[in-house]
Amino acid sequence: MNKIYTLILPVCILCSCNEGKEDKRGGDEGRVALATEPSKTSEVTTMKLSETDFSHEIVSNGKVVGRHRAELMFPASDAVVSSIAVRNGSHVRKGQKIASLDDYKQREDLRKAENALSKAELELKDALIGQGFDPDKASTIPDDVMRLAKLRSGYNEAEVALESARHALEQTVLYAPFDGVIANMAAKEFNRPESGKPFCTIVGNVMDASFQILEGELSLLAPGDRVRVSPYSTSGEFTGRVTEINPVVDENGMVTVNAAVDAGKGLYDGMNVKVSVMKSLGRQLVVPKSAVVLRSGRQVVFTFDEKGGKAMWNYVHTGLENMGEYTISDGLEEGMTVIVSGNVNLAHESPVKVVK
């Protein structure tokens, strides 16, 4: 029995020593374990790490809105639509006729108002002559006398009625207030327009993109910044610039931003788009997103050891990002050779071969 105890004691001491060594490895345990696994030489591509200009990209969903948009309607009237000169999708110029109502009643009211004004002018002349003034020499008549004579003759009321009749006649025709495209027209000729509802909508040719950004991104955005607008329904891409930032944060922590689109041809009011804002943040250490992999929930970038021909494991902290790049705030230094592809299955000190 004594011999058995003698053999067991060294084995226990040996195990205790090994456990102590593993504890000292700490955070490198995963790195060493991977390094002991047999692996073949992997082909990779690399880049030399240096400070370059970095553009942070803010991506958001938005909608296209016409900068100029007006709903045109006729005043309340029993008249029917006598003619329509355009249709949905028609491009119109400012001042171009869109539609008109039957204006018989308005023309009759205008003639009555003209006759009433003529009658009031006669009454005015009689009143002035009765006071010993020559109505054809208005400059010689005192202002208070002229004002009183107009009130008594009804001239002022007749003049206002004539202006009102002229305005009513003008309202029987719709004209385009600016260059644009006709939309939402449902009315037909020889039918009464629906009371209280727009006859049609005109959308200007200049388009804006309206989108929202997070409250925390406000410091990265300013009027004049360039944007890219990409419709989801087509493959086209449009450029523009931020024109205004609404100084209100909504209940969801979002801020509304508008950007003018340089060329709006092919864009429609209400169209859903993706908006990307590129903001230059100066020179930074930048790597492609493909260079960053996850190991045990942490970000890792492999660098190439030219002397040993091996991949070296580096824990990193990334900063800002855009669609294709990260900035590196810690873990790498300028001049290192970073592996940018072929790194998915690499371990620490894996043998690699650089290919072009």
mmCIF file of all heavy atoms in Angstrom, residues 4 29 92-93 96 100 106 114 117 119 141 154 166-167 171 177 186 188 194 198 207 229 287 292 294 297 332 350:
data_model
loop_
_atom_site.group_PDB
_atom_site.id
_atom_site.type_symbol
_atom_site.label_atom_id
_atom_site.label_comp_id
_atom_site.label_asym_id
_atom_site.label_seq_id
_atom_site.Cartn_x
_atom_site.Cartn_y
_atom_site.Cartn_z
ATOM 1 N N ILE A 4 1.924 2.267 -3.495
ATOM 2 C CA ILE A 4 0.855 2.881 -4.299
ATOM 3 C C ILE A 4 0.761 4.362 -3.998
ATOM 4 O O ILE A 4 0.665 5.218 -4.874
ATOM 5 C CB ILE A 4 -0.486 2.199 -4.031
ATOM 6 C CG1 ILE A 4 -0.437 0.746 -4.509
ATOM 7 C CG2 ILE A 4 -1.629 2.949 -4.709
ATOM 8 C CD1 ILE A 4 -1.670 -0.074 -4.170
ATOM 9 N N GLU A 29 -5.504 32.016 -24.321
ATOM 10 C CA GLU A 29 -5.788 30.591 -24.345
ATOM 11 C C GLU A 29 -6.391 30.159 -25.676
ATOM 12 O O GLU A 29 -5.966 29.184 -26.282
ATOM 13 C CB GLU A 29 -6.752 30.248 -23.209
ATOM 14 C CG GLU A 29 -7.089 28.760 -23.139
ATOM 15 C CD GLU A 29 -8.001 28.460 -21.976
ATOM 16 O OE1 GLU A 29 -8.233 29.357 -21.155
ATOM 17 O OE2 GLU A 29 -8.469 27.315 -21.913
ATOM 18 N N VAL A 92 -46.755 70.480 -67.586
ATOM 19 C CA VAL A 92 -47.334 71.791 -67.863
ATOM 20 C C VAL A 92 -46.333 72.876 -67.491
ATOM 21 O O VAL A 92 -45.437 72.675 -66.664
ATOM 22 C CB VAL A 92 -48.654 72.003 -67.081
ATOM 23 C CG1 VAL A 92 -49.716 71.039 -67.557
ATOM 24 C CG2 VAL A 92 -48.428 71.851 -65.576
ATOM 25 N N ARG A 93 -46.509 74.032 -68.130
ATOM 26 C CA ARG A 93 -45.698 75.207 -67.839
ATOM 27 C C ARG A 93 -46.488 76.181 -66.986
ATOM 28 O O ARG A 93 -47.730 76.145 -66.972
ATOM 29 C CB ARG A 93 -45.270 75.889 -69.140
ATOM 30 C CG ARG A 93 -44.575 74.983 -70.143
ATOM 31 C CD ARG A 93 -43.188 74.601 -69.715
ATOM 32 N NE ARG A 93 -42.288 75.758 -69.675
ATOM 33 C CZ ARG A 93 -41.013 75.684 -69.313
ATOM 34 N NH1 ARG A 93 -40.496 74.516 -68.940
ATOM 35 N NH2 ARG A 93 -40.258 76.759 -69.328
ATOM 36 N N GLN A 96 -50.100 77.803 -67.817
ATOM 37 C CA GLN A 96 -50.811 77.008 -68.821
ATOM 38 C C GLN A 96 -52.202 76.641 -68.303
ATOM 39 O O GLN A 96 -52.394 76.343 -67.128
ATOM 40 C CB GLN A 96 -50.019 75.735 -69.134
ATOM 41 C CG GLN A 96 -50.655 74.855 -70.210
ATOM 42 C CD GLN A 96 -49.775 73.664 -70.558
ATOM 43 O OE1 GLN A 96 -48.558 73.712 -70.394
ATOM 44 N NE2 GLN A 96 -50.393 72.597 -71.029
ATOM 45 N N SER A 100 -61.511 74.304 -67.318
ATOM 46 C CA SER A 100 -62.420 75.451 -67.155
ATOM 47 C C SER A 100 -63.839 74.974 -66.903
ATOM 48 O O SER A 100 -64.221 73.869 -67.310
ATOM 49 C CB SER A 100 -62.383 76.358 -68.390
ATOM 50 O OG SER A 100 -62.818 75.652 -69.530
ATOM 51 N N GLN A 106 -71.171 83.609 -64.561
ATOM 52 C CA GLN A 106 -70.144 84.589 -64.189
ATOM 53 C C GLN A 106 -70.067 85.733 -65.205
ATOM 54 O O GLN A 106 -69.870 86.896 -64.836
ATOM 55 C CB GLN A 106 -68.784 83.896 -64.064
ATOM 56 C CG GLN A 106 -68.616 83.035 -62.827
ATOM 57 C CD GLN A 106 -69.367 81.709 -62.917
ATOM 58 O OE1 GLN A 106 -69.759 81.272 -64.007
ATOM 59 N NE2 GLN A 106 -69.578 81.068 -61.780
ATOM 60 N N GLU A 114 -70.939 95.725 -64.525
ATOM 61 C CA GLU A 114 -70.487 96.834 -65.384
ATOM 62 C C GLU A 114 -71.600 97.861 -65.570
ATOM 63 O O GLU A 114 -71.346 99.084 -65.538
ATOM 64 C CB GLU A 114 -70.022 96.279 -66.730
ATOM 65 C CG GLU A 114 -68.714 95.488 -66.648
ATOM 66 C CD GLU A 114 -68.367 94.792 -67.956
ATOM 67 O OE1 GLU A 114 -69.277 94.627 -68.805
ATOM 68 O OE2 GLU A 114 -67.198 94.427 -68.134
ATOM 69 N N LEU A 117 -72.009 99.872 -62.395
ATOM 70 C CA LEU A 117 -70.969 100.887 -62.239
ATOM 71 C C LEU A 117 -71.233 102.082 -63.157
ATOM 72 O O LEU A 117 -71.028 103.238 -62.764
ATOM 73 C CB LEU A 117 -69.600 100.275 -62.541
ATOM 74 C CG LEU A 117 -68.410 101.223 -62.362
ATOM 75 C CD1 LEU A 117 -68.319 101.696 -60.916
ATOM 76 C CD2 LEU A 117 -67.115 100.547 -62.794
ATOM 77 N N LYS A 119 -74.137 103.153 -64.117
ATOM 78 C CA LYS A 119 -75.228 103.912 -63.518
ATOM 79 C C LYS A 119 -74.725 104.740 -62.337
ATOM 80 O O LYS A 119 -75.112 105.908 -62.156
ATOM 81 C CB LYS A 119 -76.319 102.948 -63.065
ATOM 82 C CG LYS A 119 -77.531 103.642 -62.476
ATOM 83 C CD LYS A 119 -78.598 102.626 -62.090
ATOM 84 C CE LYS A 119 -79.803 103.337 -61.474
ATOM 85 N NZ LYS A 119 -80.854 102.369 -61.065
ATOM 86 N N ILE A 141 -61.736 119.242 -57.668
ATOM 87 C CA ILE A 141 -62.776 118.931 -56.673
ATOM 88 C C ILE A 141 -62.101 118.542 -55.359
ATOM 89 O O ILE A 141 -61.227 117.675 -55.338
ATOM 90 C CB ILE A 141 -63.680 117.788 -57.171
ATOM 91 C CG1 ILE A 141 -64.307 118.150 -58.526
ATOM 92 C CG2 ILE A 141 -64.758 117.460 -56.141
ATOM 93 C CD1 ILE A 141 -65.088 117.024 -59.163
ATOM 94 N N GLY A 154 -73.402 105.623 -54.634
ATOM 95 C CA GLY A 154 -73.217 104.164 -54.683
ATOM 96 C C GLY A 154 -72.075 103.733 -55.578
ATOM 97 O O GLY A 154 -71.969 102.565 -55.954
ATOM 98 N N ARG A 166 -65.362 90.187 -61.784
ATOM 99 C CA ARG A 166 -64.205 89.833 -62.598
ATOM 100 C C ARG A 166 -63.418 88.665 -61.986
ATOM 101 O O ARG A 166 -62.991 87.749 -62.685
ATOM 102 C CB ARG A 166 -63.290 91.043 -62.751
ATOM 103 C CG ARG A 166 -63.831 92.109 -63.696
ATOM 104 C CD ARG A 166 -62.959 93.347 -63.662
ATOM 105 N NE ARG A 166 -63.440 94.352 -64.611
ATOM 106 C CZ ARG A 166 -63.026 95.617 -64.610
ATOM 107 N NH1 ARG A 166 -62.134 96.032 -63.697
ATOM 108 N NH2 ARG A 166 -63.503 96.470 -65.509
ATOM 109 N N HIS A 167 -63.245 88.716 -60.656
ATOM 110 C CA HIS A 167 -62.521 87.642 -59.976
ATOM 111 C C HIS A 167 -63.260 86.312 -60.107
ATOM 112 O O HIS A 167 -62.644 85.256 -60.329
ATOM 113 C CB HIS A 167 -62.350 88.006 -58.497
ATOM 114 C CG HIS A 167 -61.610 86.968 -57.702
ATOM 115 N ND1 HIS A 167 -60.265 86.737 -57.840
ATOM 116 C CD2 HIS A 167 -62.048 86.085 -56.757
ATOM 117 C CE1 HIS A 167 -59.880 85.780 -57.031
ATOM 118 N NE2 HIS A 167 -60.953 85.355 -56.360
ATOM 119 N N GLN A 171 -61.972 82.742 -61.791
ATOM 120 C CA GLN A 171 -61.929 81.492 -61.028
ATOM 121 C C GLN A 171 -62.561 80.313 -61.759
ATOM 122 O O GLN A 171 -62.494 79.179 -61.286
ATOM 123 C CB GLN A 171 -62.640 81.681 -59.680
ATOM 124 C CG GLN A 171 -61.918 82.609 -58.725
ATOM 125 C CD GLN A 171 -60.562 82.051 -58.316
ATOM 126 O OE1 GLN A 171 -60.472 80.996 -57.712
ATOM 127 N NE2 GLN A 171 -59.499 82.774 -58.649
ATOM 128 N N PRO A 177 -49.775 76.997 -61.503
ATOM 129 C CA PRO A 177 -49.051 78.044 -60.770
ATOM 130 C C PRO A 177 -47.533 77.965 -60.951
ATOM 131 O O PRO A 177 -46.826 78.915 -60.636
ATOM 132 C CB PRO A 177 -49.444 77.780 -59.318
ATOM 133 C CG PRO A 177 -49.755 76.321 -59.281
ATOM 134 C CD PRO A 177 -50.327 75.976 -60.618
ATOM 135 N N ALA A 186 -59.279 63.152 -61.351
ATOM 136 C CA ALA A 186 -60.315 62.147 -61.554
ATOM 137 C C ALA A 186 -61.566 62.720 -62.211
ATOM 138 O O ALA A 186 -62.464 61.983 -62.608
ATOM 139 C CB ALA A 186 -60.688 61.502 -60.217
ATOM 140 N N LYS A 188 -64.212 64.533 -64.862
ATOM 141 C CA LYS A 188 -64.497 64.338 -66.287
ATOM 142 C C LYS A 188 -65.240 65.570 -66.815
ATOM 143 O O LYS A 188 -65.913 66.282 -66.066
ATOM 144 C CB LYS A 188 -65.364 63.090 -66.511
ATOM 145 C CG LYS A 188 -64.753 61.812 -65.975
ATOM 146 C CD LYS A 188 -63.502 61.418 -66.709
ATOM 147 C CE LYS A 188 -62.941 60.105 -66.189
ATOM 148 N NZ LYS A 188 -61.669 59.732 -66.858
ATOM 149 N N GLU A 194 -66.260 67.735 -57.743
ATOM 150 C CA GLU A 194 -66.688 67.391 -56.386
ATOM 151 C C GLU A 194 -66.394 68.547 -55.446
ATOM 152 O O GLU A 194 -65.253 69.023 -55.352
ATOM 153 C CB GLU A 194 -65.970 66.127 -55.919
ATOM 154 C CG GLU A 194 -66.616 65.477 -54.727
ATOM 155 C CD GLU A 194 -66.090 64.071 -54.476
ATOM 156 O OE1 GLU A 194 -65.314 63.584 -55.318
ATOM 157 O OE2 GLU A 194 -66.453 63.485 -53.444
ATOM 158 N N PRO A 198 -59.935 68.692 -54.122
ATOM 159 C CA PRO A 198 -59.081 69.196 -55.199
ATOM 160 C C PRO A 198 -59.483 68.621 -56.551
ATOM 161 O O PRO A 198 -59.848 67.446 -56.668
ATOM 162 C CB PRO A 198 -57.678 68.715 -54.796
ATOM 163 C CG PRO A 198 -57.759 68.456 -53.335
ATOM 164 C CD PRO A 198 -59.161 67.992 -53.077
ATOM 165 N N MET A 207 -37.253 67.926 -57.226
ATOM 166 C CA MET A 207 -37.565 66.921 -56.220
ATOM 167 C C MET A 207 -36.622 67.015 -55.022
ATOM 168 O O MET A 207 -35.450 67.365 -55.152
ATOM 169 C CB MET A 207 -37.472 65.520 -56.832
ATOM 170 C CG MET A 207 -38.515 65.231 -57.887
ATOM 171 S SD MET A 207 -40.179 65.194 -57.163
ATOM 172 C CE MET A 207 -41.180 64.924 -58.624
ATOM 173 N N VAL A 229 -29.138 59.222 -53.584
ATOM 174 C CA VAL A 229 -30.523 58.770 -53.487
ATOM 175 C C VAL A 229 -30.726 57.633 -54.475
ATOM 176 O O VAL A 229 -30.499 57.804 -55.680
ATOM 177 C CB VAL A 229 -31.501 59.928 -53.774
ATOM 178 C CG1 VAL A 229 -32.939 59.442 -53.701
ATOM 179 C CG2 VAL A 229 -31.280 61.072 -52.797
ATOM 180 N N VAL A 287 -9.669 49.879 -42.496
ATOM 181 C CA VAL A 287 -9.549 48.537 -43.083
ATOM 182 C C VAL A 287 -10.879 48.163 -43.706
ATOM 183 O O VAL A 287 -11.943 48.626 -43.258
ATOM 184 C CB VAL A 287 -9.154 47.481 -42.033
ATOM 185 C CG1 VAL A 287 -7.795 47.798 -41.432
ATOM 186 C CG2 VAL A 287 -10.208 47.366 -40.942
ATOM 187 N N VAL A 292 -12.073 42.184 -40.856
ATOM 188 C CA VAL A 292 -12.449 42.002 -39.459
ATOM 189 C C VAL A 292 -13.283 40.732 -39.312
ATOM 190 O O VAL A 292 -14.298 40.559 -39.991
ATOM 191 C CB VAL A 292 -13.234 43.216 -38.946
ATOM 192 C CG1 VAL A 292 -13.602 43.039 -37.473
ATOM 193 C CG2 VAL A 292 -12.433 44.500 -39.135
ATOM 194 N N LEU A 294 -14.739 37.630 -36.279
ATOM 195 C CA LEU A 294 -15.075 37.449 -34.870
ATOM 196 C C LEU A 294 -14.461 36.163 -34.349
ATOM 197 O O LEU A 294 -14.546 35.105 -34.995
ATOM 198 C CB LEU A 294 -16.594 37.409 -34.683
ATOM 199 C CG LEU A 294 -17.349 38.723 -34.909
ATOM 200 C CD1 LEU A 294 -18.849 38.511 -34.722
ATOM 201 C CD2 LEU A 294 -16.856 39.800 -33.947
ATOM 202 N N GLY A 297 -16.477 36.097 -29.818
ATOM 203 C CA GLY A 297 -17.250 37.295 -29.612
ATOM 204 C C GLY A 297 -16.463 38.581 -29.657
ATOM 205 O O GLY A 297 -16.996 39.645 -29.367
ATOM 206 N N LEU A 332 -4.025 48.056 -33.947
ATOM 207 C CA LEU A 332 -3.171 48.019 -35.126
ATOM 208 C C LEU A 332 -2.368 49.306 -35.222
ATOM 209 O O LEU A 332 -2.763 50.334 -34.663
ATOM 210 C CB LEU A 332 -4.004 47.840 -36.413
ATOM 211 C CG LEU A 332 -4.810 46.543 -36.555
ATOM 212 C CD1 LEU A 332 -5.619 46.580 -37.850
ATOM 213 C CD2 LEU A 332 -3.916 45.317 -36.510
ATOM 214 N N SER A 350 -1.129 30.704 -38.315
ATOM 215 C CA SER A 350 -1.403 29.818 -39.447
ATOM 216 C C SER A 350 -0.478 30.171 -40.603
ATOM 217 O O SER A 350 -0.279 31.349 -40.910
ATOM 218 C CB SER A 350 -2.854 29.942 -39.907
ATOM 219 O OG SER A 350 -3.741 29.477 -38.932
#
